[in-house]
Amino acid sequence: MAEKLIIFDTTLRDGEQSPGASMTREEKLRIARQLERLKVDVIEAGFAASSQGDFEAVKAIADTIKDSTVCSLSRANDRDISRAAEALAGAKSSRIHTFIATSPLHMEKKLRMTADQVFEQAVQSVRFARNLVGDIEFSPEDGYRSDMDFLCRILEAVIKEGATTINVPDTVGYAIPELYGEFIKTLRTRIPNSDKAIWSVHCHNDLGMAVANSLAGIKIGGARQIECTINGLGERAGNCALEEVVMAIKTRSDYFGLTVGVDTQQILAASRMVSQTTGFVVQPNKAVVGANAFAHASGIHQDGVLKARDTYEIMRAQDVGWSANKIVLGKLSGRNAFKQRLADLGVELESEGEINSAFAKFKELADRKSEIFDEDILALVSEENLSHEKDTFNFVSLSQRSETGERPHASIVFNVNGLEVHSDSDGNGPVDASLKAIEKHVKSGAEMVLYSVNAISGSTESQGEVTVRLQNSGRIVNGVGSDPDIVVASAKAYLSALNKLRSQSDRVMAQG
Ligand code: KIV
Ligand code: ZN
């Protein structure tokens, strides 16, 4: 029997640390449900002590998820660990992931602690955590740039205290595959009680090698857990991409000789959900989940694939969730067909009210667009597009005028805490005029650091999906909006970003 590789997903923690990718509690819960359908082994739901919002998100996920272990990150101190344990109390299976930096640079410059102090704190924290939860993961942050002797000393001690998983982060993406693999191997060989813990890899993608490094950590180093995120989401260049490592292990099982419990057919739905929630668009040539990942443009390739699929394809598109039948519904489709399609796409709406609201939006869209694709449905039910009574700002309607040689003008109606507001402005283009009209009333003072439009299903009939990234008082948020009218999509995205700016409290970020 092939050994099992544990898939530890950290989209909701390390992924969320990417500037602008922060998510609301409801968004995180929805993604956690999809991760459970994907059958990942561990979901790192957040960093409970970092903010009240994150505490509540971890708690909601712990109270809901049954088939995956739910984990919270915590710094190596009693307060953080207690907070994590409190948030995880309702989980069927829970894990505390505690970390402290161990590289000379981080200890001296960031922590201003000596190696002995770090050692003591790590040991004490694991001892404290072990009395609260049975499943404890310990990470020496910036582990790959740490001194080998010190690392061996501290890891041996935390295993002795009861750490059940030892995770070795390449926090800054500095590793090279063979060297990282050997690094893990050396640790496992030199630490006398290394067989008492599961070894885990956690690689960042600064040099584009997070997936290769993680796989080397498995193959050369003998690690049996990979930490990864959907679409490789994460700070800077991101983390190791779940879809890539999972498909590498599956496609090259002849080489790795390992199994994973992941239901790969749920990969695409997870990828789209994360991309639509965060506004981080997936590049077309991205492995496994990019729009072109299974497209064959050249005549020679098309001819080959038609004769025998494996001439140019090493994986089956259907195995990662791409469906051949892309047109799914139209304006004559009923509520049941819509509900069934949602279920096929792995989308669970929480209440009948949400289904009714999504179905009403579907009908509205079907009146304007003859073919409704899976992507349209996913956009429709994404958190951004369901109306939220608790949101401060909600889009109502918009009209705009633009004519060659004239300065465009927009009039917009939106709700602010339930009260209808009318505002208008001119601007360089209709989008600019619409957003200026909103800003004229809201006066957020936020700076726009990104505006991007993406056609959801590839034709001019398609819905436009707009991402707006705003920065204000050191906080960065993304808002996403979709509509067949890109000016309306832009206004929705802007209002969504403003809602996030309002609701997001400051949080402490892990340094990973
Ligand atoms: O990259 C890193 O070091 C981390 C740790 C907090 C595990 O994310
Ligand atoms: Zn990290």
Side-chain angles (χ1 to χ4, degrees):
M1 265 280 279
E3 256 187 276
K4 177 158 184 212
L5 177 68
I6 297 169
I7 300 297
F8 175 114
D9 180 278
T10 182
T11 307
L12 300 175
R13 197 282 294 172
D14 220 350
E16 202 213 12
Q17 280 180 215
S18 184
S22 64
M23 301 169 227
T24 63
R25 190 181 77 115
E26 284 69 28
E27 287 167 337
K28 284 185 143 200
L29 193 54
R30 182 163 299 168
I31 291 174
R33 287 210 187 91
Q34 178 58 25
L35 293 172
E36 186 181 38
R37 278 190 287 273
L38 184 61
K39 296 193 170 52
V40 303
D41 300 285
V42 186
I43 298 173
E44 189 162 50
F47 179 4
S50 68
S51 69
Q52 183 59 24
D54 231 29
F55 176 86
E56 279 161 17
V58 175
K59 181 169 166 27
I61 293 168
D63 292 348
T64 308
I65 297 299
K66 300 291 167 239
D67 297 334
S68 309
T69 295
V70 181
C71 171
S72 171
L73 184 73
S74 82
R75 285 166 297 194
N77 64 58
D78 295 2
R79 185 196 159 268
D80 267 32
I81 293 169
S82 305
R83 203 72 180 132
E86 202 187 321
L88 293 169
K92 195 162 162 219
S93 165
S94 61
R95 172 180 297 188
I96 290 180
H97 176 192
T98 187
F99 75 100
I100 188 162
T102 51
S103 66
L105 188 64
H106 278 225
M107 290 191 292
E108 189 196 328
K109 303 278 188 236
K110 189 182 78 175
L111 299 177
R112 298 186 196 287
M113 286 168 79
T114 64
D116 284 343
Q117 287 170 326
V118 167
F119 177 90
E120 271 315 310
Q121 195 162 321
V123 168
Q124 269 182 31
S125 302
V126 171
R127 189 179 302 149
F128 182 76
R130 192 67 174 85
N131 289 324
L132 302 174
V133 172
D135 185 348
I136 305 295
E137 174 167 328
F138 175 78
S139 287
E141 191 194 359
D142 205 18
Y144 183 66
R145 292 193 301 171
S146 302
D147 172 70
M148 179 55 80
D149 289 341
F150 178 57
L151 212 48
C152 286
R153 183 161 87 91
I154 197 168
L155 295 183
E156 180 183 349
V158 294
I159 295 172
K160 206 156 144 208
E161 288 300 336
T164 41
T165 299
I166 298 294
N167 178 48
V168 185
D170 176 23
T171 304
V172 291
Y174 182 67
I176 305 289
E178 274 130 300
L179 302 182
Y180 183 70
E182 289 297 338
F183 193 79
I184 307 277
K185 189 173 166 186
T186 307
L187 287 169
R188 290 186 57 237
T189 312
R190 283 191 43 188
I191 295 175
N193 55 0
S194 67
D195 60 328
K196 302 279 182 301
I198 291 170
W199 288 76
S200 166
V201 290
H202 178 113
C203 298
H204 281 263
N205 204 31
D206 298 67
L207 292 173
M209 289 189 280
V211 169
N213 288 337
S214 303
L215 292 172
I218 302 300
K219 183 71 183 173
I220 306 172
R224 287 294 175 262
Q225 172 175 288
I226 290 196
E227 303 203 345
C228 46
T229 60
I230 302 289
N231 300 337
L233 187 70
E235 265 183 293
R236 309 183 308 274
N239 285 57
C240 169
L242 178 144
E243 60 281 4
E244 296 180 20
V245 275
V246 165
M247 290 317 290
I249 296 281
K250 283 225 158 203
T251 309
R252 296 306 310 269
S253 59
D254 59 318
Y255 179 71
F256 290 106
L258 295 168
T259 60
V260 283
V262 168
D263 175 357
T264 59
Q265 290 193 350
Q266 294 291 338
I267 285 181
L268 192 64
S271 162
R272 286 178 174 161
M273 196 183 280
V274 168
S275 156
Q276 285 179 342
T277 305
T278 58
F280 280 64
V281 176
V282 173
Q283 77 200 53
N285 59 332
K286 166 85 178 59
V288 185
V289 292
N292 290 352
F294 293 91
H296 298 277
S298 101
I300 296 173
H301 288 200
Q302 281 173 355
D303 181 52
V305 169
L306 288 176
K307 286 180 178 143
R309 187 190 58 82
D310 51 6
T311 49
Y312 287 101
E313 272 184 17
I314 56 164
M315 297 171 270
R316 286 174 4 125
Q318 300 92 298
D319 290 348
V320 293
W322 291 95
S323 75
N325 173 18
K326 294 204 96 198
I327 300 168
V328 290
L329 299 171
K331 71 194 239 183
L332 298 177
S333 309
R335 192 175 181 279
N336 279 346
F338 177 69
K339 228 175 135 178
Q340 183 54 45
R341 194 61 212 152
L342 287 180
D344 294 346
L345 288 169
V347 175
E348 271 171 32
L349 293 181
E350 274 145 50
S351 61
E352 283 299 304
E354 270 200 358
I355 296 177
N356 290 342
S357 142
F359 184 60
K361 285 184 189 293
F362 160 73
K363 281 291 192 189
E364 218 177 90
L365 183 62
D367 273 341
R368 291 190 286 159
K369 191 170 181 289
S370 54
E371 296 169 334
I372 307 286
F373 296 86
D374 287 356
E375 291 86 345
D376 292 313
I377 296 189
L378 286 167
L380 206 98
V381 297
S382 75
E383 189 64 20
E384 319 293 332
N385 284 312
L386 295 172
S387 58
H388 292 103
E389 282 160 20
K390 61 185 179 311
D391 279 348
T392 308
F393 307 107
N394 276 301
F395 175 82
V396 177
S397 65
L398 182 150
S399 72
Q400 50 87 11
R401 210 180 50 242
S402 68
E403 215 178 302
T404 312
E406 299 269 315
R407 192 157 164 82
H409 186 89
S411 304
I412 182 160
V413 183
F414 57 106
N415 279 326
V416 182
N417 289 321
L419 293 178
E420 208 162 271
V421 168
H422 296 246
S423 183
D424 64 307
S425 171
D426 54 15
N428 284 348
V431 170
D432 188 48
S434 306
L435 305 198
K436 282 201 168 110
I438 297 174
E439 192 54 32
K440 193 167 147 188
H441 180 85
V442 176
K443 297 186 178 58
S444 76
E447 182 196 351
M448 190 179 300
V449 286
L450 176 114
Y451 170 80
S452 87
V453 190
N454 180 34
I456 288 187
S457 49
S459 75
T460 49
E461 250 224 350
S462 165
Q463 289 198 83
E465 184 174 66
V466 173
T467 303
V468 165
R469 186 173 300 163
L470 298 182
Q471 178 164 18
N472 202 6
S473 316
R475 276 184 289 149
I476 300 178
V477 294
N478 275 338
V480 183
S482 51
D483 195 275
D485 178 336
I486 59 163
V487 184
V488 171
S490 305
K492 286 180 177 174
Y494 195 76
L495 291 171
S496 153
L498 290 176
N499 281 324
K500 287 191 177 173
L501 271 183
R502 287 263 159 140
S503 70
Q504 201 185 79
S505 54
D506 284 316
R507 55 176 73 188
V508 182
M509 288 295 188
Q511 297 302 307

Short mmCIF file of all heavy atoms in Angstrom, two decimals, residues 13-14 73 97 99 139 141-142 167 169-171 202 204 227 510-512, ligand 1:
data_model
loop_
_atom_site.label_atom_id
_atom_site.label_comp_id
_atom_site.label_asym_id
_atom_site.label_seq_id
_atom_site.Cartn_x
_atom_site.Cartn_y
_atom_site.Cartn_z
N ARG A 13 -5.18 31.16 5.70
CA ARG A 13 -4.24 31.80 6.64
C ARG A 13 -3.07 32.42 5.89
O ARG A 13 -3.02 33.62 5.71
CB ARG A 13 -3.77 30.76 7.68
CG ARG A 13 -3.14 31.37 8.91
CD ARG A 13 -1.72 31.84 8.73
NE ARG A 13 -0.80 30.73 8.48
CZ ARG A 13 0.47 30.90 8.14
NH1 ARG A 13 0.97 32.12 7.99
NH2 ARG A 13 1.25 29.87 7.89
N ASP A 14 -2.17 31.61 5.35
CA ASP A 14 -1.01 32.20 4.65
C ASP A 14 -1.48 32.86 3.35
O ASP A 14 -0.99 33.93 2.97
CB ASP A 14 0.03 31.12 4.36
CG ASP A 14 1.46 31.63 4.58
OD1 ASP A 14 1.62 32.84 4.77
OD2 ASP A 14 2.40 30.82 4.55
N LEU A 73 -3.30 28.99 13.43
CA LEU A 73 -1.92 29.39 13.69
C LEU A 73 -1.88 30.13 15.02
O LEU A 73 -2.87 30.74 15.43
CB LEU A 73 -1.43 30.32 12.56
CG LEU A 73 0.03 30.73 12.65
CD1 LEU A 73 0.94 29.55 12.29
CD2 LEU A 73 0.35 31.90 11.71
N HIS A 97 -1.18 25.19 15.50
CA HIS A 97 0.08 25.33 14.76
C HIS A 97 0.83 26.51 15.38
O HIS A 97 0.44 27.66 15.17
CB HIS A 97 -0.24 25.58 13.28
CG HIS A 97 0.96 25.84 12.43
ND1 HIS A 97 0.86 26.32 11.14
CD2 HIS A 97 2.30 25.70 12.67
CE1 HIS A 97 2.07 26.46 10.63
NE2 HIS A 97 2.95 26.10 11.54
N PHE A 99 4.37 28.75 16.13
CA PHE A 99 5.64 29.01 15.44
C PHE A 99 6.45 30.09 16.15
O PHE A 99 5.91 30.94 16.85
CB PHE A 99 5.38 29.45 13.99
CG PHE A 99 4.89 30.87 13.86
CD1 PHE A 99 5.76 31.91 13.52
CD2 PHE A 99 3.56 31.18 14.09
CE1 PHE A 99 5.31 33.23 13.42
CE2 PHE A 99 3.10 32.50 14.00
CZ PHE A 99 3.97 33.51 13.66
N SER A 139 6.41 25.09 13.96
CA SER A 139 7.19 25.58 12.82
C SER A 139 8.32 26.49 13.30
O SER A 139 8.04 27.50 13.98
CB SER A 139 6.33 26.41 11.87
OG SER A 139 5.47 25.61 11.14
N GLU A 141 10.08 29.33 12.21
CA GLU A 141 9.94 30.26 11.08
C GLU A 141 11.32 30.60 10.51
O GLU A 141 12.29 30.72 11.24
CB GLU A 141 9.22 31.52 11.54
CG GLU A 141 8.81 32.39 10.37
CD GLU A 141 8.41 33.78 10.79
OE1 GLU A 141 8.42 34.09 12.00
OE2 GLU A 141 8.12 34.58 9.89
N ASP A 142 11.38 30.75 9.21
CA ASP A 142 12.64 30.96 8.50
C ASP A 142 13.58 29.78 8.77
O ASP A 142 14.82 29.94 8.79
CB ASP A 142 13.28 32.30 8.89
CG ASP A 142 14.22 32.83 7.78
OD1 ASP A 142 14.11 32.37 6.63
OD2 ASP A 142 15.06 33.69 8.08
N ASN A 167 7.03 21.24 10.96
CA ASN A 167 6.94 21.87 9.65
C ASN A 167 8.19 22.74 9.44
O ASN A 167 8.57 23.49 10.33
CB ASN A 167 5.67 22.74 9.62
CG ASN A 167 5.49 23.48 8.34
OD1 ASN A 167 5.61 22.91 7.25
ND2 ASN A 167 5.20 24.77 8.43
N PRO A 169 9.58 25.63 7.38
CA PRO A 169 9.28 26.64 6.37
C PRO A 169 10.52 27.19 5.66
O PRO A 169 11.54 27.46 6.29
CB PRO A 169 8.61 27.77 7.16
CG PRO A 169 8.35 27.24 8.53
CD PRO A 169 9.37 26.14 8.74
N ASP A 170 10.36 27.34 4.36
CA ASP A 170 11.28 28.16 3.59
C ASP A 170 10.53 29.49 3.44
O ASP A 170 9.94 29.79 2.41
CB ASP A 170 11.58 27.52 2.23
CG ASP A 170 12.47 28.43 1.38
OD1 ASP A 170 13.18 29.27 1.95
OD2 ASP A 170 12.43 28.29 0.13
N THR A 171 10.55 30.25 4.52
CA THR A 171 9.70 31.43 4.66
C THR A 171 9.90 32.46 3.55
O THR A 171 8.97 33.15 3.15
CB THR A 171 9.98 32.07 6.05
OG1 THR A 171 9.76 31.06 7.02
CG2 THR A 171 9.14 33.27 6.33
N HIS A 202 6.87 23.56 3.82
CA HIS A 202 6.10 24.80 3.67
C HIS A 202 6.98 25.76 2.87
O HIS A 202 7.93 26.33 3.40
CB HIS A 202 5.79 25.36 5.07
CG HIS A 202 5.05 26.66 5.07
ND1 HIS A 202 3.76 26.79 5.53
CD2 HIS A 202 5.42 27.91 4.68
CE1 HIS A 202 3.37 28.05 5.43
NE2 HIS A 202 4.36 28.76 4.91
N HIS A 204 7.69 28.94 0.09
CA HIS A 204 7.22 30.15 -0.60
C HIS A 204 7.86 30.22 -1.98
O HIS A 204 8.88 29.59 -2.25
CB HIS A 204 7.50 31.39 0.27
CG HIS A 204 6.47 31.53 1.36
ND1 HIS A 204 5.38 32.33 1.26
CD2 HIS A 204 6.37 30.90 2.56
CE1 HIS A 204 4.64 32.22 2.36
NE2 HIS A 204 5.23 31.35 3.16
N GLU A 227 2.33 21.77 2.83
CA GLU A 227 1.48 22.94 3.10
C GLU A 227 1.38 23.74 1.81
O GLU A 227 2.39 24.05 1.17
CB GLU A 227 2.06 23.78 4.24
CG GLU A 227 2.22 22.91 5.49
CD GLU A 227 2.24 23.64 6.81
OE1 GLU A 227 2.42 24.87 6.82
OE2 GLU A 227 2.10 22.97 7.82
N ALA A 510 1.16 37.01 10.67
CA ALA A 510 2.32 36.16 10.88
C ALA A 510 3.38 36.62 9.90
O ALA A 510 3.06 37.21 8.88
CB ALA A 510 1.95 34.71 10.60
N GLN A 511 4.61 36.34 10.20
CA GLN A 511 5.66 36.86 9.33
C GLN A 511 5.90 36.00 8.10
O GLN A 511 6.79 36.23 7.34
CB GLN A 511 6.96 37.00 10.12
CG GLN A 511 6.86 38.00 11.27
CD GLN A 511 6.47 39.37 10.80
OE1 GLN A 511 7.11 39.91 9.92
NE2 GLN A 511 5.42 39.94 11.36
N GLY A 512 5.19 34.88 7.95
CA GLY A 512 5.51 33.95 6.86
C GLY A 512 5.23 34.51 5.52
O GLY A 512 4.23 34.48 4.98
O1 KIV B 1 6.28 30.95 5.96
C1 KIV B 1 6.27 30.76 7.18
O2 KIV B 1 7.30 30.71 7.86
C2 KIV B 1 4.96 30.63 7.82
C3 KIV B 1 4.98 30.20 9.24
C4 KIV B 1 4.16 31.10 10.11
C5 KIV B 1 4.62 28.77 9.33
O3 KIV B 1 3.94 30.82 7.22
#
